């Protein structure tokens, strides 16, 4: 009897260990975007099987994940790309049924605030109902106890802010079709967590940037244009509202927070931010300093312009087309809850982020 017991115990330990050692499976919507690509890098390093959803496009849209792409004929693969679209319930449901992921990160979105005023219906369909499609598929396929869900929420939901700084309890007041859509996604995530006990978390992430940032967001646009000006490839950068204040962090720090949220004992919502705020104009100045360009600002508001000291060359000017029908004037986050419960804190500050963005931009322009 002692011997049988002994063998059973060993078997149990081995069985448990193999189960614990089983590689986790993650599904990332929006894997071809800034955050999706960093998250895929991170999860692959953590030995996950990573499945990413890419949408059909007439031009190549996988440049941010090309470095981890593995051909179908390669032996041991850990990264898989699937066609799908967050506005197409059938593709969403089929992928979830086939992959049965341990963790889903819903990062797919029409993520440009200004563009959301031009395509409000599509933005609502992708950014609001997209989250519902995933949650409903988790429920429909009976995966409530298996699949954890992360929703990519945003500080844009605070919009016309009700308090400074903003935390998890600050009421929402969105100021764009994008912000409104994300508020729906936030509450439907809370609703499915409470109604069906799905492990579902909202990350309320403040602006985060990197060299992989899309070219029409203000930080990347500024870095790209000023680097080109430094190299003599462009004359002037045109911007909109220079006075808007943002709390800018680095995307690598923020995808780590997403993962952390899904590793907690209990699902909850978290603000992720640096707690430091800069205007768009200050961001321009930081980039100019990094590039060692001596400058002087003249005029105010729509008449503001930035000149190279000594030469009078105008390098920054205002174009009113870049102003929005409504603006979010100020965003500043309070991440005390994330610091305490997730033990999360950013590694980058604004200076180290600008330094990295400028270095990578110059490098890529020189290699073009
Ligand atoms: P991003 O670079 O614009 O990436 C968005 C991703 O969603 C891309 O892969 C895009 O595909 C994909 N996508 C768009 N529409 C889709 C659709 N209908 N079906 C499937 N995929 C679709 O955005 P990001 O900066 O990585 O942000 C990731 C998420 O976090 C977004 O939901 C964004 O709203 C949210 N967020 C971002 C920030 C920030 O500061 N970056 C802050 C808070 C929240 P293509 O590559 O084909 O365009
Ligand atoms: N894009 C852009 N282009 N913005 C400009 C420009 C310009 O030429 N000039 C001034 N801005 C101002 C915008 O009016 C805004 O106040 C600020 O710069 C930041 O704009 P974006 O970089 O486009 O980011 P966003 O804050 O509107 O939205 C980003 O952050 C959100 C989180 O707060 C996006 O990544 C959203 O997806 C994200 O949810």
């Amino acid at each position: 009897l002692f011997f049988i017991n002994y063998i059973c115990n060993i078997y149990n330990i081995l069985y448990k260990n193999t189960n614990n050692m089983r590689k986790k499976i993650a599904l990332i919507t929006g894997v071809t975007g800034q955050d999706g690509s960093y998250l895929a890098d991170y999860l692959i390093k953590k030995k996950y099987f990573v499945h990413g959803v890419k949408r059909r496009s007439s031009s190549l849209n996988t440049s941010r994940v090309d470095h981890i792409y593995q051909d179908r004929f390669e032996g041991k693969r850990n990264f898989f790309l699937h066609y799908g679209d967050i506005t197409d319930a059938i593709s969403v449901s089929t992928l979830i049924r086939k992959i049965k992921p341990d963790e889903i990160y819903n990062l797919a979105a029409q993520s440009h605030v200004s563009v959301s005023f031009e395509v409000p219906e599509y933005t609502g369909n992708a950014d609001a109902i997209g989250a519902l499609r995933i949650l409903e598929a988790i429920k429909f396929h009976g995966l409530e106890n298996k699949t954890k869900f992360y929703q990519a929420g945003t500080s844009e939901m605070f919009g016309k802010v009700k308090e400074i700084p903003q935390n998890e309890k600050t009421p929402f007041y969105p100021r764009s079709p994008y912000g409104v859509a994300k508020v729906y996604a936030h509450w439907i995530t809370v609703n499915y967590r409470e109604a069906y006990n799905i492990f579902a978390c909202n990350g309320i992430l403040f602006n985060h940037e990197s060299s992989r940032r899309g070219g029409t967001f203000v930080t990347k646009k500024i870095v790209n244009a000023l680097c080109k000006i430094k190299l003599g490839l462009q004359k002037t950068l045109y911007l909109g509202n220079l006075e808007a204040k943002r709390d800018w962090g680095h995307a690598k720090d923020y995808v780590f927070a997403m993962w952390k949220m899904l590793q907690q004992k209990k699902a909850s919502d978290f603000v992720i931010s640096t707690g430091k705020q800069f205007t768009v104009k200050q961001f321009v100045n930081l980039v100019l300093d990094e590039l060692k360009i001596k400058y002087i600002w003249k005029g105010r508001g729509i008449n503001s312009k930035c000149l190279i000291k000594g030469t009078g060359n105008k390098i920054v000017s205002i174009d009113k087309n870049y102003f929005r029908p409504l603006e979010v004037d100020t965003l500043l986050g309070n991440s005390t809850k994330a610091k305490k419960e997730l033990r999360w804190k950013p590694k980058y500050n604004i200076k180290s982020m600008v330094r990295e963005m400028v270095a990578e931009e110059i490098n890529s322009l020189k290699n073009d």
Side-chain angles (χ1 to χ4, degrees), residues 30-36 53 55 61 64 84-87 106-111 122 126 152-155 178 182 205-209 213-214 217:
V31 76
T32 57
Q34 172 189 251
D35 292 6
V53 183
R55 54 183 178 159
N61 60 355
R64 293 188 182 102
D85 197 297
I86 199 74
T87 62
N106 181 32
L107 311 185
Q110 190 303 90
S111 71
Y122 173 74
T154 163
S155 47
Y178 169 80
K182 287 284 186 173
L205 272 51
F206 282 61
N207 297 49
H208 45 279
E209 319 295 313
R213 186 60 145 152
F217 295 97

Side-chain angles (χ1 to χ4, degrees), residues 110-114 153-156 178 182 205-209 213 216-219 221 238-242 244-246 248 280 322-324 327-329 331:
Q110 190 303 90
S111 71
H112 204 283
V113 174
S114 189
T154 163
S155 47
E156 271 292 309
Y178 169 80
K182 287 284 186 173
L205 272 51
F206 282 61
N207 297 49
H208 45 279
E209 319 295 313
R213 186 60 145 152
T216 59
F217 295 97
V218 81
T219 58
K221 181 176 164 181
Y238 291 93
L239 291 172
N241 180 8
L242 292 177
K245 294 179 185 153
R246 288 292 182 274
W248 279 296
V280 171
Y322 291 118
F323 283 79
R324 299 167 180 189
E327 179 61 285
V328 169
D329 296 318
L331 287 174

Side-chain angles (χ1 to χ4, degrees), residues 111 113 153-167 170-176 178-179 183 204-209 213 217-218 241 243-249 254 271-280 282 324 326-335 350:
S111 71
V113 174
T154 163
S155 47
E156 271 292 309
M157 298 188 294
F158 296 125
K160 191 173 177 184
V161 296
K162 293 281 162 202
E163 61 179 332
I164 298 176
Q166 298 85 53
N167 62 36
T170 306
F172 297 141
Y173 192 146
R175 296 269 278 176
S176 61
Y178 169 80
V183 170
I204 306 175
L205 272 51
F206 282 61
N207 297 49
H208 45 279
E209 319 295 313
R213 186 60 145 152
F217 295 97
V218 81
N241 180 8
E243 301 312 321
K245 294 179 185 153
R246 288 292 182 274
D247 177 333
W248 279 296
Y254 286 44
V271 159
I272 300 297
S273 62
T274 69
K276 303 252 159 40
Q277 197 185 44
F278 298 86
T279 62
V280 171
Q282 284 172 320
R324 299 167 180 189
L326 276 179
E327 179 61 285
V328 169
D329 296 318
T330 174
L331 287 174
L332 179 65
N334 173 351
S335 283
I350 191 97

Side-chain angles (χ1 to χ4, degrees), residues 25 44 47 155 188 204 212-213 258 266 333 349 368:
I25 303 170
I44 286 171
K47 308 275 183 237
S155 47
I188 202 68
I204 306 175
R212 293 190 195 169
R213 186 60 145 152
M258 295 175 190
K266 201 165 167 274
N349 59 32
D368 264 358

